[in-house]
Amino acid sequence: MGDLARYGEMLTEGNAVMNLVGPATLPDFWRRHVLDSWQLLPLAPDALTWADLGTGAGLPGVVISAFLKDRPGAHVHLVDSLGKRCRFLETVVQALSLPADVINGRAEDVRLTVDIATARAVAPMDRLLGYAEPLLKTGAQGLFLKGESVDDELVSARKSWKIDAVTYPSQSDDRGRVVRVTAARRLAPAGGRRGR
């Protein structure tokens, strides 16, 4: 837990100079951020390689990498498009000697082969599937942390995607859910030809 306590300190310090997380969430760091992130691990107990899309402050990716630190072969890719957030994450990864790397780029442009793609508070499901599509196509599963509007998001996403998904209750928020996506394929536009 020492790594995560230090991460909480670094997050508080970093949040004072840039918007990493909502300031009101910091006093509840262990539930709102650590438990919320950790709950993905039991859903993929054998997964070693992870990509956290739009990782922001490193959630859930930093927490996952801290828990996987002593597992041989474990690695987490922290993907974010904002340079200053990436610099913060590089400092965290280095300070805590985490099995992680930071990728400064747009999620949809990243080409990786991983076991699990994660995201938290990045985009509605239909856009998030677009970001994750390159990873899902190479065999990754998605584990996405979602809030109370998840059912509406899934209904909306199914207008443009064929999705194999199940949801699990969140362990950190009664209103939240974790969405596991095992497959997603973009549907052809109405009246258009079906894509390959």
Side-chain angles (χ1 to χ4, degrees):
M1 289 297 181
D3 284 343
L4 291 170
R6 177 66 186 125
Y7 171 53
E9 293 168 0
M10 295 177 79
L11 193 57
T12 300
E13 292 162 10
N15 219 52
V17 293
M18 72 181 106
N19 183 27
L20 293 167
V21 296
T25 68
L26 288 169
D28 200 10
F29 168 75
W30 291 98
R31 182 184 65 86
R32 288 288 298 273
H33 300 305
V34 175
L35 176 60
D36 194 50
S37 301
W38 169 87
Q39 69 181 316
L40 300 182
L41 286 164
L43 297 176
D46 298 324
L48 287 176
T49 54
W50 300 64
D52 188 19
L53 307 178
T55 190
L59 298 162
V62 164
V63 173
I64 288 168
S65 66
F67 278 102
L68 293 177
K69 190 171 180 178
D70 296 325
R71 246 174 101 196
H75 195 81
V76 180
H77 303 280
L78 305 169
V79 182
D80 202 88
S81 61
L82 196 63
K84 64 181 179 179
R85 279 198 299 249
C86 288
R87 287 189 289 278
F88 166 77
L89 292 168
E90 285 165 355
T91 302
V92 170
V93 167
Q94 187 172 16
L96 305 181
S97 300
L98 297 177
D101 68 306
V102 180
I103 299 172
N104 186 187
R106 294 165 54 90
E108 63 270 35
D109 296 333
V110 172
R111 298 297 179 262
L112 298 166
T113 301
V114 294
D115 299 320
I116 301 291
T118 64
R120 177 191 191 214
V122 171
M125 251 346 260
D126 55 346
R127 270 197 292 139
L128 180 53
L129 289 169
Y131 299 159
E133 185 179 26
L135 304 180
L136 297 173
K137 278 183 172 177
T138 59
Q141 289 191 15
L143 288 176
F144 304 129
L145 293 156
K146 285 289 177 183
E148 58 191 330
S149 64
V150 64
D151 290 327
D152 292 338
E153 288 188 31
L154 284 167
V155 167
S156 178
R158 285 190 166 107
K159 293 174 185 172
S160 51
W161 293 88
K162 178 174 172 44
I163 314 165
D164 293 334
V166 293
T167 62
Y168 305 92
S170 170
Q171 295 184 41
S172 62
D173 184 344
D174 292 340
R175 300 160 302 170
R177 246 121 17 93
V178 178
V179 181
R180 180 196 297 274
V181 176
T182 52
R185 181 176 54 81
R186 198 183 296 272
L187 300 174
R193 291 180 300 163
R194 170 171 262 158
R196 283 188 262 150

